[in-house]
């Protein structure tokens, strides 16, 4: 079939996206432990490769996957979990269906490709059951408490001590003590809740969220020698933590970021 320039460029873009999707899904299947999830991810990876080869028949070219995207999704998989990545990939599947629908209907395989992409959405939704999402409340507790208490403490230390080494040391001691306190409080709180089966896990997620926030808030004091400048970056980090976690929750819950 003779393709016009716009259709050729669209197919070339789709071919590259399918190559990228194949790599990402295959990597996730390799690291996933649940047998059912491995089977679904492997099936989607195979479908993406089939679509790549299909569009190659029209373009007559090979396209390398987007290495930046494959590396980014792999990193997010380890940092944020598979649910977050699959939700992002699910957005790509939805976008792909809309993009494919805009192609000329003369392409005989188009209906099957669209059906595959829609099936991918349903398959991805069926495996979204990740442990860490059950403890989002515990993570929020750790983030919220650390942002309020430590940022306030660092502001006070900055104005009182005016020495980044002393401020960092005082902030670190305060952060570690508060982490242990918050984790212990969360454990005792969940321990009294008869519906909670894993109070230790809830305490772990609260403590990890708190210590992660402590590290990011203290980072500017280790990188600059000017206390006021460090405090400014500390407050900026606090805003970025809020924005980053809000984006994470908005993606996994399919809610508006704003």
């Amino acid at each position: 079939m003779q393709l016009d320039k716009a259709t050729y460029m669209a197919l070339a873009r789709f071919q590259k996206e399918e190559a990228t999707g194949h790599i990402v899904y295959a990597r996730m299947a390799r690291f996933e432990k649940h047998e059912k999830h491995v089977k679904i991810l492997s099936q989607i990876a195979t479908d993406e490769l089939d679509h790549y080869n299909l569009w190659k028949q029209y373009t007559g070219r090979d396209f390398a996957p987007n290495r930046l995207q494959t590396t980014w999704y792999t990193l997010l998989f380890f940092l944020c979990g598979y649910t977050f990545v699959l939700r992002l990939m699910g957005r790509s599947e939805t976008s792909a269906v809309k993009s494919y629908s805009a192609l000329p209907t003369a392409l005989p395989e188009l209906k099957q490709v669209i059906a595959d992409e829609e099936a991918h959405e349903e398959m991805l939704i069926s495996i979204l059951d990740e442990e860490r999402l059950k403890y989002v409340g515990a993570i929020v507790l750790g983030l919220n408490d650390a942002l309020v208490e430590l940022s306030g403490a660092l502001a006070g230390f900055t104005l009182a001590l005016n020495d980044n080494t002393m401020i960092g040391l005082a902030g670190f001691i305060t952060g570690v003590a508060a982490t242990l306190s918050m984790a212990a409080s969360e454990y005792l709180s969940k321990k009294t809740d008869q519906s909670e089966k894993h109070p230790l896990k809830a305490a772990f997620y609260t403590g990890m969220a708190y210590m992660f926030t402590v590290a990011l808030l203290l980072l500017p004091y280790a990188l600059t020698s000017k206390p006021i400048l460090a405090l400014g970056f500390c407050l900026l980090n606090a805003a970025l933590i809020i924005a980053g976690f809000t984006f994470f929750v908005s993606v996994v819950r399919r809610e508006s970021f704003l």
Side-chain angles (χ1 to χ4, degrees), residues 146-148 151 213 216-217 232-244:
L147 287 170
V148 173
S151 59
T213 307
L216 289 183
L217 294 181
F233 279 109
C234 169
L235 298 177
L236 176 61
N237 281 352
L240 292 176
I241 292 170
I242 294 171

Side-chain angles (χ1 to χ4, degrees), residues 14 92-103 114 117 121:
F14 294 148
S92 298
E93 300 292 345
T94 303
S95 176
V97 171
K98 293 179 181 179
S99 299
Y100 284 139
S101 299
L103 286 175
I114 292 176
E117 297 294 344
E121 289 185 63

Side-chain angles (χ1 to χ4, degrees), residues 122-226:
E122 297 301 319
M123 293 165 74
L124 292 176
I125 291 172
S126 71
I127 67 175
L128 298 181
D129 181 27
E130 190 172 10
E131 179 187 84
R132 76 181 69 186
L133 296 184
K134 299 175 184 177
Y135 296 97
V136 166
I139 296 173
V140 169
L141 178 65
L143 288 175
N144 178 67
D145 205 75
L147 287 170
V148 173
E149 290 188 2
L150 194 67
S151 59
L154 288 174
F157 293 151
T158 300
L159 297 176
L161 301 175
N162 200 34
D163 180 276
N164 274 12
T165 302
M166 293 298 294
I167 296 168
L169 184 59
F172 177 75
I173 293 171
T174 303
V176 171
T179 297
L180 296 174
S181 173
M182 284 302 300
S185 297
E186 179 69 359
Y187 175 79
L188 293 174
S189 173
K190 295 300 182 183
K191 188 74 172 175
T192 59
D193 185 356
Q194 295 181 351
S195 63
E196 177 59 57
K197 298 180 180 179
H198 303 287
L200 197 59
K201 284 185 178 180
F204 171 79
Y205 280 108
T206 297
M208 287 299 294
Y210 202 112
M211 204 62 220
F212 172 77
T213 307
V214 168
L216 289 183
L217 294 181
L218 287 176
L219 185 62
Y221 290 93
L223 298 180
T224 179
S225 59
K226 297 181 179 180

